[in-house]
């Protein structure tokens, strides 16, 4: 039994979590030449200030948690004002890996007419983030993003900069960023017929947050932080530490209502028969009501529903289908919008998506043969 467990683990997807890719990721090390006994929440940085690990341009303010702004951890962050930008160069390790980023964003300012956007960029990617309303408690959201793939001890530059949406800078709430985490994962997923169906490989979860990680719409598998799944609407990547997860350590919650979903494409022979299995449930986040999810597998379409008491439950479903003439799509899409009593958006949880070949042992057949041969070699049979 122990040997079988070791073999199974060795065949699983390997991910590498290295929280020290970035220096001073929580901005707990204050800028140099900062005045002592500060009473202000926002301190504008000048040319003689340097942020350990970071460079900056434009209007950048050091934020100290107080009555005006509540921040996680020890309570320090960076506000990116007009033309504000921070950047840090970090080095990849020797392997070719895919780098995923999680960060928190909130808004600083009073009497705001419009929100500012945050641009996050690396050599292989650029994405515009806007603060979501009513997706997390306290208006402090965590976001996930894929920075790109590289290796060979290359140095890469991570840039975060503000982008004004309103033409009047005095009416704009500028973004406050904090708690940045970069994780490296193996870019080669090999999880049977359907990769990452348990959603175990995704952006890092933050130790300072009990909320999930929001993933915005991204239509490219290459740019998705949840490869090989793309996202429509907004979904929340959740973990077993803070939510009910049907299987494993992570799952996805479709939170932005009707139209929110995930999808991927697979290569299977034309007219081949398959069965798609998945878990549908609720995240134990007080989300009540009936969830309705449309599932598209090849040419087959079916709606599935579950009545949620908001206390954590799940049910396994399946849908048979046949492979198409081209790449076959697998799609999960929410058909209803749900909110908790406190107004936070919520929705159905999708997890443990598995694809089987009908009338055969399916994608586990090669693994089963390998295990049997290994056990015979050890004299167990």
């Amino acid at each position: 039994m122990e040997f079988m467990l070791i073999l199974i683990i060795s065949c699983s997807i390997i991910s590498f979590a290295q929280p020290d890719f970035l220096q001073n990721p929580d901005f707990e090390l204050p800028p140099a030449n900062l005045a002592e006994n500060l009473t202000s929440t926002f301190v504008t940085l000048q040319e003689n200030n340097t942020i350990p690990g970071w460079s900056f341009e434009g209007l950048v303010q050091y934020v100290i948690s107080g009555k005006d702004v509540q921040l996680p951890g020890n309570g320090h962050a960076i506000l990116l004002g007009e033309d504000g930008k921070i950047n840090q160069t970090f080095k990849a390790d020797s392997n070719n890996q895919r780098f995923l980023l999680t960060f928190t964003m909130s808004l600083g300012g009073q009497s705001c007419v419009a929100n500012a956007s945050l641009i996050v960029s690396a050599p292989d990617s650029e994405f515009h983030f806007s603060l979501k309303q009513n997706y997390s408690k306290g208006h402090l959201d965590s976001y996930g993003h894929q920075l790109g793939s590289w290796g060979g001890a290359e140095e890469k530059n991570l840039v975060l900069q503000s982008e004004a949406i309103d033409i009047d800078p005095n009416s704009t709430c500028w973004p406050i960023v904090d708690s940045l985490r970069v994780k490296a994962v193996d870019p080669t997923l090999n999880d049977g017929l359907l990769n990452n169906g348990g959603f175990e490989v995704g952006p890092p979860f933050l130790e300072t947050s009990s909320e999930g990680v929001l993933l915005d719409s991204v239509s490219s598998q290459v740019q998705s932080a949840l490869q090989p799944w793309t996202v429509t609407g907004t979904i929340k990547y959740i973990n077993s530490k803070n939510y009910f997860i049907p299987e494993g350590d992570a799952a996805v919650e479709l939170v932005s209502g009707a139209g929110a979903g995930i999808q991927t494409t697979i290569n299977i022979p034309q007219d081949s028969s398959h069965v798609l299995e998945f878990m549908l449930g609720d995240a134990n986040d007080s989300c009540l009501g009936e969830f309705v999810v449309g599932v598209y597998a090849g040419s087959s379409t079916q709606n599935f529903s579950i009545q949620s008491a908001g206390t954590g439950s799940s049910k396994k479903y399946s849908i048979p289908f046949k492979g198409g003439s081209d790449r076959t799509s697998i799609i999960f899409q929410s058909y209803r919008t749900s909110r908790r009593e406190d107004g936070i958006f919520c929705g159905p949880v999708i997890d443990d998506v598995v694809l089987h070949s009908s009338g055969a042992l399916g994608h586990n057949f090669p693994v089963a043969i390998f295990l049997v041969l290994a056990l015979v070699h050890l004299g167990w049979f």
Side-chain angles (χ1 to χ4, degrees), residues 92-108:
D93 56 29
S94 58
N95 295 320
N96 182 29
Q97 295 176 325
R98 188 159 49 94
F99 290 85
L100 306 177
L101 169 71
T102 297
F103 65 94
T104 63
M105 180 170 69
S106 57
L107 293 179

Side-chain angles (χ1 to χ4, degrees), residues 135 199 214-215 226 229-238 251-263 279-283 285 287 291-295 331-339 345-351:
Y135 280 82
F199 310 108
L214 295 176
L215 302 178
L226 198 65
W229 299 90
T230 61
V231 176
T232 56
T234 299
I235 68 171
K236 184 178 287 188
Y237 188 53
I238 58 176
V252 296
E253 183 181 12
L254 311 181
V255 294
S256 65
I262 55 172
Q263 69 178 71
M279 302 290 287
L280 175 63
D282 75 274
D285 57 1
C287 196
F291 298 147
V292 180
V293 174
V295 179
I331 303 172
F332 294 87
Q333 185 174 10
S334 176
Y335 283 158
R336 292 190 178 176
T337 299
S338 302
R339 288 197 187 200
F345 285 102
C346 56
V349 170
I350 307 295
D351 195 15

Side-chain angles (χ1 to χ4, degrees), residues 282-356:
D282 75 274
N284 189 24
D285 57 1
S286 302
C287 196
L288 308 177
E290 184 183 29
F291 298 147
V292 180
V293 174
V295 179
Y296 304 79
S299 59
S300 297
T301 303
Q302 188 173 340
N303 293 346
F304 298 87
S305 64
I306 186 173
Q307 192 68 33
S308 169
T311 56
S313 64
S314 64
K315 185 176 180 180
K316 178 173 285 189
Y317 291 99
S318 64
I319 177 173
F321 71 99
K322 290 195 174 188
S325 58
D326 201 350
R327 289 175 62 83
T328 299
S329 295
I330 305 294
I331 303 172
F332 294 87
Q333 185 174 10
S334 176
Y335 283 158
R336 292 190 178 176
T337 299
S338 302
R339 288 197 187 200
R340 302 180 338 207
E341 288 186 356
D342 59 4
I344 301 297
F345 285 102
C346 56
V349 170
I350 307 295
D351 195 15
D352 196 26
V353 184
V354 181
L355 185 62
H356 297 286

